[in-house]
Amino acid sequence: MLSAASARARLLLGAAAVASALARPAQAEEPIEIEVRGEPAGPPASSRDPTAASTVLDREELSAPGASAARVLARVPGVQVTESGSSSALATASVRGASSAQLPVYLAGIRLNDDVTGTADLSQVPLWMLERVEVFRGNGPEALDRLGIAGALVLEPRLPRRSELRAGANVGSFGELGAWAGAAVAGDGAASLFALRRAVARDDFSYLDDGGTRFDASDDAWVRRDNADHASTDAWAIGRVALGRGAQVTTVLDAFHRAQGVPGLGVVPARAARARVERLLAGVSARAPCPGARAGAPVDDCQLELASSAITARSLTDDPRFELGLGAPWAASAGERFVNRFSIIDHPGERLRWSAGAGLELERLAIARGGAPGLAARRLGLRLDASAEYAVSAPLTLFALGALERHATAASADEASPALEPVGRVGARVRVARGLELLGNLARTVRVPTLGELYGVSPLVRGNGALVPERAVGGELGFRAAASSGALLGAWVEGFGFVREVRELVTYRRAALGYLRPYNTGRARVLGAELALGADALQHLRADAAVTILDPRDTTPGRALVSDLVPYQARLVATAGLAVYVKHLASLELRATHRASRVADPAGLIVLAPETLLDLGATVWCWQDRVAVRGAIDDVTDAARFDVVGYPLPARSFHGSVELVF
């Protein structure tokens, strides 16, 4: 069943011969409002949605030696990352006290969240091939297919701009080795890019094993993590063709494969379990002027956008010694998602911009376990949306977005059960003075239960067909400010306060027979504040800092537990960085990150200790910026770290890389 589903997906993808659609292909050639090294600039915010709280991570931050999506995102205000072990192990992100399932993650416009748990695995994010990462901390922008209960994560791949050859290699602690190569060909009206990367690591770091008894240090011992190795291959093909008068077609194709050991919990190691993950995403997007466009109007005055995309993902876990508690020697899943979208964007005047769109989505999921009945489920979704942006006056801009989503879900031959949900957001931006603006948003958002939550994952994790979507209402209010004194000093600061209430939270309970089953019984209220600032002096000194204060509370009616803190959410996260650099020559950066303690269970009995990390990195450019040599020491003080209960994380590690461009 699984192989047939995967084969159908691959056949469709091959027949389409396209690559994954970009969320906003027109934006790829437009300037992004990010910090320019050595020049005064405002906060590194996305131009995709000027009224939203957002952060942009540029290519320089993403290409740091040893960088992972989890480490890079941890410096963004409002974001908290949960890791479960080495670089190849599951890592997820959450924004403003929400769960990781409530954060939609997009790669080249395709949502990566799986249909079993609803989360996206950050360890599979290809930083080496990304141009930038845009983090929306409130809700997602209009071009995405989900508003997101708390934010959205948009990953934009590199796009070919000129002909070049590129190659690089990296080495690091715990057997880390990697190499990549790429070629771009650009001509009149067309460009293409091909790239391939191979990475391996043993990830056999040492950690303190407390034997599962944190209260008794007599049995603590330092041991080496076994069976944590991984080997991955990632391939990309990107193309763009200009058709005249602003029309263009963009294609993106990505294939990912990783084989790895599954080390299990720190206190219960697994030495024979192995896993394999495969992903293939593809799509095509096109834009063109509207038929009958006004004579003499700019080519972007009225635009039509079409996008089709597909993703197929397959995973297989072998557990021959029953070390993982699967209850079977193997478990496998295969998922498919096909999306088609049409939209029109019009600028009928200098003050007004509006858009309207429609999307159709098909999802299929198959899960099987050795010796257990299989699962097959499907979902058909339809979305209608419209948005408008109106400049009331020079300082005041209003924004509104509304969407109606209909999802029909069923398992096997059952009748589909439709669900209709309205979502929307209203926002405003006020330019108070030069370099100072105020922003505010109110939103109602929804997360539909995943197919795995509805129909189950295994005999140990049952489904609940009566689940209803999670619903949230929230708002944010903040400011952005920037000032500069020529090339001597530039500084920026932004601050946001936010509140969100979520109803019908999907939580799990243990039944009398021992299996887990999800229920809509939870509620949560989150209050918080974010402050971020940065400065650049004399074009040689750069500093930034961010602080997030969070009060996440479980407000479920009839709650009997004394503790009401939401698990795994720290109430204080702070980061600060200082860099000394000479443009086109060298840079040296020191960064400190602190995360307060967190509770690891609903009762608040297990507390994860606070952690403070110190990282050091350096980059040297030479040969007219054609060669970049990077080195880094992560966790300089060698602090012991444990994230999820029983899961050790690597402490001090060393990384180095070299990249050549011809």
Side-chain angles (χ1 to χ4, degrees):
M1 176 180 63
L2 295 176
S3 59
S6 178
R8 288 196 300 271
R10 291 174 183 272
L11 180 61
L12 288 172
L13 294 174
V18 295
S20 153
L22 300 175
R24 290 284 301 274
Q27 297 290 340
E29 297 178 344
E30 299 174 0
I32 301 299
E33 297 178 14
I34 60 177
E35 182 183 0
V36 179
R37 303 304 184 189
E39 299 180 7
S46 171
S47 62
R48 197 186 298 264
D49 189 340
T51 66
S54 63
T55 300
V56 173
L57 300 170
D58 62 17
R59 179 66 199 153
E60 182 177 339
E61 294 171 292
L62 301 178
S63 60
S68 65
R71 278 294 182 92
V72 172
L73 290 172
R75 66 178 61 180
V76 177
V79 176
Q80 296 197 39
V81 173
T82 298
E83 300 174 82
S84 60
S86 63
S87 60
S88 64
L90 173 69
T92 59
S94 62
V95 176
R96 293 181 174 179
S99 70
S100 58
Q102 294 169 340
L103 175 69
V105 178
Y106 297 87
L107 175 60
I110 299 178
R111 183 160 31 92
L112 296 182
N113 303 63
D114 69 67
D115 293 314
V116 178
T117 63
T119 64
D121 186 358
L122 297 180
S123 69
Q124 299 180 23
V125 172
L127 288 186
W128 70 284
M129 195 56 199
L130 297 185
E131 184 69 26
R132 68 184 183 275
V133 173
E134 301 182 15
V135 184
F136 294 89
R137 308 194 300 271
N139 304 105
E142 60 180 328
L144 305 182
D145 64 353
R146 295 286 188 274
L147 273 180
I149 286 182
L153 185 60
V154 179
L155 315 172
E156 290 293 349
R158 293 183 185 179
L159 294 175
R161 292 180 174 87
R162 62 182 183 182
S163 298
E164 65 179 20
L165 295 176
R166 185 183 297 264
N170 66 282
V171 63
S173 300
F174 319 121
E176 174 190 336
L177 291 172
W180 65 95
V185 180
D188 293 337
S192 59
L193 172 67
F194 306 92
L196 178 67
R197 182 176 192 260
R198 176 69 173 175
V200 300
R202 296 191 309 270
D203 281 328
D204 53 348
F205 57 88
S206 297
Y207 66 96
L208 183 63
D209 184 0
D210 62 8
T213 58
R214 291 179 180 268
F215 52 84
D216 183 7
S218 63
D219 59 352
D220 292 0
W222 284 94
V223 299
R224 187 173 296 277
R225 191 168 177 84
D226 295 328
N227 195 37
D229 63 287
H230 73 90
S232 62
T233 303
D234 204 1
W236 285 81
I238 302 175
R240 170 169 287 169
V241 178
L243 305 178
R245 292 200 69 241
Q248 67 178 28
V249 176
T250 303
T251 61
V252 178
L253 174 67
D254 177 41
F256 174 83
H257 176 275
R258 184 173 67 201
Q260 65 182 78
V262 183
L265 292 170
V267 295
V268 186
R271 294 183 170 85
R274 307 292 297 178
R276 186 171 69 248
V277 179
E278 297 177 354
R279 182 189 68 223
L280 182 65
L281 62 84
V284 60
S285 64
R287 67 170 182 172
C290 299
R294 293 177 288 276
V299 294
D300 62 348
D301 186 59
C302 180
Q303 290 283 323
L304 298 178
E305 294 187 359
L306 298 171
S308 295
S309 62
I311 181 171
T312 174
R314 183 172 62 179
S315 66
L316 173 64
T317 301
D318 289 313
D319 187 19
R321 300 181 185 175
F322 297 86
E323 297 170 303
L324 302 178
L326 298 177
W330 60 269
S333 67
E336 304 167 351
R337 182 185 295 123
F338 305 93
V339 180
N340 289 281
R341 177 171 172 79
F342 165 81
S343 60
I344 178 173
I345 304 172
D346 194 12
H347 298 73
E350 293 183 358
R351 293 189 175 186
L352 178 64
R353 171 185 175 276
W354 65 268
S355 69
L360 184 66
E361 178 178 313
L362 172 64
E363 300 178 11
R364 292 186 291 196
L365 173 67
I367 298 177
R369 296 171 68 251
L375 162 73
R378 66 188 186 278
R379 170 177 287 155
L380 181 64
L382 175 65
R383 174 186 169 98
L384 302 174
D385 58 75
S387 68
E389 183 179 306
Y390 182 67
V392 179
S393 60
L396 175 61
T397 300
L398 301 178
F399 176 81
L401 167 66
L404 191 63
E405 300 177 358
R406 184 182 187 275
H407 301 273
T409 311
S412 301
D414 296 342
E415 291 292 331
S417 54
L420 189 66
E421 290 289 345
V423 297
R425 176 169 69 91
V426 293
R429 180 180 64 177
V430 181
R431 297 186 182 274
V432 179
R434 181 180 180 182
L436 174 62
E437 60 184 23
L438 303 179
L439 304 98
N441 289 277
L442 293 173
R444 181 189 188 272
T445 51
V446 170
R447 186 184 77 90
V448 179
T450 67
L451 298 177
E453 290 170 337
L454 288 169
Y455 302 110
V457 177
S458 70
L460 296 178
V461 183
R462 306 288 180 86
N464 184 353
L467 288 178
V468 299
E470 296 176 327
R471 300 174 176 89
V473 176
E476 64 182 5
L477 183 63
F479 72 92
R480 295 191 185 117
S484 64
S485 177
L488 296 178
L489 178 66
W492 59 266
V493 61
E494 67 173 8
F496 283 87
F498 55 89
V499 59
R500 181 179 65 254
E501 182 176 349
V502 185
R503 295 175 177 265
E504 308 296 347
L505 276 175
V506 175
T507 57
Y508 284 82
R509 293 178 180 173
R510 185 173 297 277
L513 297 178
Y515 60 81
L516 296 176
R517 192 176 188 186
Y519 291 85
N520 285 115
T521 59
R523 296 185 184 181
R525 186 270 301 152
V526 179
L527 293 174
E530 303 160 348
L531 179 65
L533 53 91
D536 205 307
L538 305 174
Q539 298 189 10
H540 295 300
L541 184 65
R542 184 176 64 251
D544 67 87
V547 177
T548 303
I549 301 174
L550 201 64
D551 184 39
R553 301 288 176 175
D554 187 333
T555 58
T556 303
R559 177 181 173 84
L561 299 174
V562 174
S563 174
D564 62 353
L565 290 174
V566 175
Y568 302 116
Q569 296 294 332
R571 285 176 283 177
L572 173 65
V573 178
T575 180
L578 178 64
V580 179
Y581 66 94
V582 178
K583 293 184 65 175
H584 308 296
L585 182 59
S587 70
L588 178 67
E589 181 178 13
L590 181 67
R591 177 166 297 276
T593 304
H594 174 78
R595 180 159 59 171
S597 61
R598 296 152 290 156
V599 298
D601 67 313
L605 300 177
I606 302 175
V607 179
L608 303 179
E611 60 185 39
T612 301
L613 303 178
L614 191 63
D615 302 327
L616 181 65
T619 301
V620 176
W621 293 273
C622 53
W623 197 21
Q624 298 180 342
D625 291 349
R626 294 182 181 273
V627 178
V629 180
R630 300 180 174 92
I633 305 175
D634 292 340
D635 193 3
V636 174
T637 60
D638 202 24
R641 299 191 299 139
F642 289 84
D643 206 303
V644 182
V645 177
Y647 287 82
L649 299 178
R652 183 166 53 218
S653 59
F654 303 86
H655 308 274
S657 68
V658 59
E659 184 174 6
L660 300 89
V661 181
F662 303 97

